[in-house]
Amino acid sequence: MNAFHYKSLPLDVYFDNGKSKETKEILNQHGYQKVLVLTTPEQEDAGQELVQQLGDIAVGVYPHAVMHVPVEVANKAIDFVQENNIDCCLALGGGSTIGLAKAIALKIHTPIVAIPTTYAGSEMTTVYGLTENNLKTTGKDIHVLPKVVIYDPELSVTLPAEISACSGMNAMAHAVEALYAQDKNPIISLMATDSIQALKVALPAIVKNTHDLEARQKATYGAWLAGICLGSVGMAIHHKICHTLGGTFNLPHAQAHAITLAYSVHYNRNADVEAMDRLAGALGVASREDVGMAIYQLNQSLNIPLALKDIGLPEQGPAEVARIICDSPYYNPRGYDYDELLDLLTKAYLGLPPIKIN
């Protein structure tokens, strides 16, 4: 067995249908008295409902979270939190909202409580991201790790099928890359495998019936495990591609992850044999040569957009992304080959399968 280092993260996790109804009690147990609910503009109404539930410990809703956490948005939120003496930011939503809470915590250490409504997984990590001048930078800091996470599968029942599918594939990407991370370890690999298997089963059921609560529970469970993976080990080429797509071209985060995952794993299919054999098993395919196509076909079955051009990548995008990721690469078990990456990114741009079909 290979040597490894495993370190667990200190956070308090609650998981149950309807658990969000106990939010005020949980916040009181942690001593928070001036709570600001963060949301995107689209989820402001849900935020107002939560404020009503919290009663006298809620200051109000701050509905200004947006994708990729632009620095100017973060700075305005930080000013608001300081001016109002907020002692807890309650992030209700997905990666955009939790990302804004993290930007605040990074600068002024305001504690975070997260109630995820998507499967993004950011709530389980010390990873933060900020976008400035069309470049997204990421880092890790223990201050951005939420103190409490409340998982309530019922909150995702109204999430549309396409958003659910893309968000779930975004979560799967965290688990997939954890399998071949530089600092992988046996515990995280077990979690990653279980996450991939859970999401593979749950997402088609959700697309078929968005109100399937059992499938929502399974997807939330898979996303929780994927989030632990993301927070516990480093990521690789796939996340570098997606950070470039988001920071440079402002592509929607979950959709970019969902589309490009098939091409990332195809690129790495022979780079870490043990990891890719494990991935093949989790996906239910015979060989690591098939992992890229398995994910591509899963996306097809989920009615996820298959082409990056359809979510806003310009024609010159593949070449620009390939250049950026080769110029400043993340760790990856395989080296960065510009020509092959350009070919795969061009296929992703057009929505073509990662391998040629006879």
Side-chain angles (χ1 to χ4, degrees):
M1 178 176 286
N2 295 327
F4 65 89
H5 172 233
Y6 172 72
K7 183 178 181 180
S8 60
L9 296 173
L11 44 71
D12 201 0
V13 178
Y14 298 83
F15 187 112
D16 198 10
N17 290 334
K19 196 67 180 179
S20 62
K21 295 181 177 66
E22 301 174 27
T23 300
K24 184 175 182 179
E25 177 185 343
I26 293 169
L27 291 174
N28 282 333
Q29 289 172 1
H30 286 78
Y32 299 129
Q33 295 298 314
K34 294 195 71 174
V35 179
L36 181 65
V37 177
L38 305 181
T39 71
T40 61
E42 294 78 13
Q43 289 190 293
E44 182 175 3
D45 290 345
Q48 293 289 358
E49 290 179 13
L50 186 55
V51 165
Q52 293 299 315
Q53 177 191 329
L54 297 179
D56 59 348
I57 67 170
V59 172
V61 179
Y62 190 86
H64 304 298
V66 295
M67 286 193 309
H68 308 304
V69 197
V71 168
E72 59 272 17
V73 172
N75 288 338
K76 288 181 182 178
I78 290 164
D79 290 342
F80 186 91
V81 168
Q82 289 181 310
E83 290 165 3
N84 290 276
N85 297 313
I86 303 301
D87 67 6
C88 172
C89 286
L90 175 49
L92 175 67
S96 298
T97 304
I98 295 168
L100 179 59
K102 287 184 171 187
I104 297 167
L106 179 68
K107 186 71 176 289
I108 57 174
H109 300 176
T110 306
I112 302 169
V113 172
I115 304 180
T117 59
T118 71
Y119 307 127
S122 174
E123 68 279 354
M124 298 303 297
T125 82
T126 62
V127 179
Y128 64 88
L130 291 164
T131 300
E132 186 173 21
N133 299 324
N134 292 326
L135 286 176
K136 186 172 185 177
T137 58
T138 62
K140 289 187 176 184
D141 191 299
I142 193 63
H143 292 103
V144 309
L145 182 71
K147 304 297 184 183
V148 179
V149 180
I150 303 170
Y151 286 107
D152 183 349
E154 290 182 358
L155 294 181
S156 65
V157 165
T158 57
L159 199 64
E162 182 181 322
I163 297 175
S164 298
C166 291
S167 181
M169 293 305 294
N170 179 13
M172 186 182 288
H174 307 327
V176 167
E177 292 230 298
L179 291 174
Y180 52 74
Q182 186 175 22
D183 51 352
K184 66 181 180 178
N185 64 72
I187 292 176
I188 295 302
S189 293
L190 288 171
M191 289 183 178
T193 302
D194 207 14
S195 171
I196 294 163
Q197 291 172 334
L199 291 165
K200 179 178 178 291
V201 171
L203 296 178
I206 289 170
V207 169
K208 184 177 180 180
N209 175 14
T210 58
H211 287 78
D212 184 335
L213 189 55
E214 184 177 349
R216 290 290 187 182
Q217 285 179 301
K218 187 178 286 290
T220 304
Y221 168 74
W224 169 60
L225 291 177
I228 296 174
C229 292
L230 178 65
S232 301
V233 297
M235 297 286 108
I237 192 170
H238 173 77
H239 282 72
K240 178 62 180 181
I241 291 171
C242 291
H243 290 159
T244 304
L245 291 170
T248 303
F249 296 101
N250 201 36
L251 265 60
H253 184 80
Q255 289 90 329
H257 270 281
I259 291 172
T260 56
L261 183 59
Y263 307 92
S264 302
V265 299
H266 181 74
Y267 182 81
N268 277 341
R269 66 195 182 281
N270 294 314
D272 184 330
V273 171
E274 179 186 5
M276 286 302 172
D277 284 345
R278 187 187 286 267
L279 176 57
L283 292 171
V285 296
S287 166
R288 61 182 179 274
E289 291 289 338
D290 302 323
V291 291
M293 275 303 298
I295 292 173
Y296 181 85
Q297 290 168 344
L298 178 57
N299 282 347
Q300 285 181 310
S301 73
L302 298 175
N303 299 317
I304 287 174
L306 298 177
L308 290 175
K309 65 183 178 66
D310 292 339
I311 63 168
L313 187 67
E315 187 175 359
Q316 74 277 11
E320 181 70 2
V321 173
R323 182 190 63 77
I324 291 172
I325 64 176
C326 288
D327 285 349
S328 56
Y330 289 1
Y331 163 82
N332 194 57
R334 179 185 173 191
Y336 286 62
D337 183 305
Y338 175 85
D339 291 334
E340 186 170 346
L341 287 168
L342 176 57
D343 177 67
L344 284 172
L345 286 165
T346 301
K347 288 176 178 175
Y349 170 78
L350 296 170
L352 299 174
I355 60 175
K356 188 175 181 180
I357 300 176
N358 295 327

